Amino acid sequence: METSIKCVKYTLFLFNLLFSLSGIFLIITGGVVQGAYSQYLDFLGDAFLSTPVFLIIVGCIIFFVAFFGCCGAIKENHCMTLTFAVLLGVIFLMEIGAGIAAYKLKGQVNDLLYDNMEMGMQNYNQTGYDGVTHTWDGIQHELN
């Protein structure tokens, strides 16, 4: 019986270690995307959170939750393991809500993107809108 408990303990630790590493990977990816492609992210406007910032936030949450799982498993701490389980339950409920919201708002995102790109084209090569001109030039250069 003791061997199976150790197996569960180390399996839980291993999976949470992998989740911690994936959280760190998301944080790094969000930072790299923000640094490299920030000029292309202006088309969504201010109505939505930018993708790199979202990746960084999700990476931090995953790392935080996986930390509780790792420490709770390896130290066999009941409080940390219970906190880990509650946080996983909250994340599961948030994922269901986000999936429903994404399905319902799918059309609005397409319309918003189209409208912002149209407004950007109207401001192309105008004084005071150098960022828009630079973004459109970059997109045309990349797609060519």
Side-chain angles (χ1 to χ4, degrees):
M1 186 71 169
E2 185 178 316
T3 307
S4 63
I5 291 175
K6 280 189 176 184
C7 180
V8 169
K9 171 183 167 180
Y10 288 113
T11 303
L12 184 63
F13 174 76
L14 179 69
F15 278 110
N16 281 302
L17 182 64
L18 291 174
F19 286 130
S20 295
L21 293 175
S22 71
I24 291 171
F25 177 73
L26 284 175
I27 293 168
I28 292 170
T29 303
V32 168
V33 169
Q34 179 67 29
Y37 297 108
S38 62
Q39 70 266 17
Y40 300 122
L41 300 173
D42 293 331
F43 288 124
L44 284 179
D46 295 332
F48 291 96
L49 188 65
S50 70
T51 306
V53 173
F54 182 72
L55 284 176
I56 293 170
I57 290 170
V58 168
C60 289
I61 291 171
I62 289 173
F63 181 77
F64 178 72
V65 171
F67 171 77
F68 277 109
C70 278
C71 291
I74 205 70
K75 292 184 177 190
E76 296 180 18
N77 187 326
H78 178 71
C79 182
M80 289 184 100
T81 307
L82 186 63
T83 303
F84 171 70
V86 168
L87 288 173
L88 281 182
V90 168
I91 288 172
F92 180 70
L93 292 175
M94 289 172 61
E95 284 179 350
I96 291 173
I100 293 170
Y103 179 74
K104 288 289 190 180
L105 298 174
K106 174 176 56 173
Q108 289 180 356
V109 171
N110 289 337
D111 293 342
L112 181 69
L113 185 62
Y114 180 78
D115 292 342
N116 283 340
M117 289 179 84
E118 284 291 322
M119 284 188 333
M121 270 314 288
Q122 291 173 0
N123 294 327
Y124 182 78
N125 221 6
Q126 301 288 327
T127 28
Y129 294 101
D130 294 333
V132 172
T133 304
H134 179 69
T135 301
W136 274 109
D137 290 343
I139 288 174
Q140 292 297 320
H141 179 71
E142 293 290 324
L143 294 177
N144 196 1

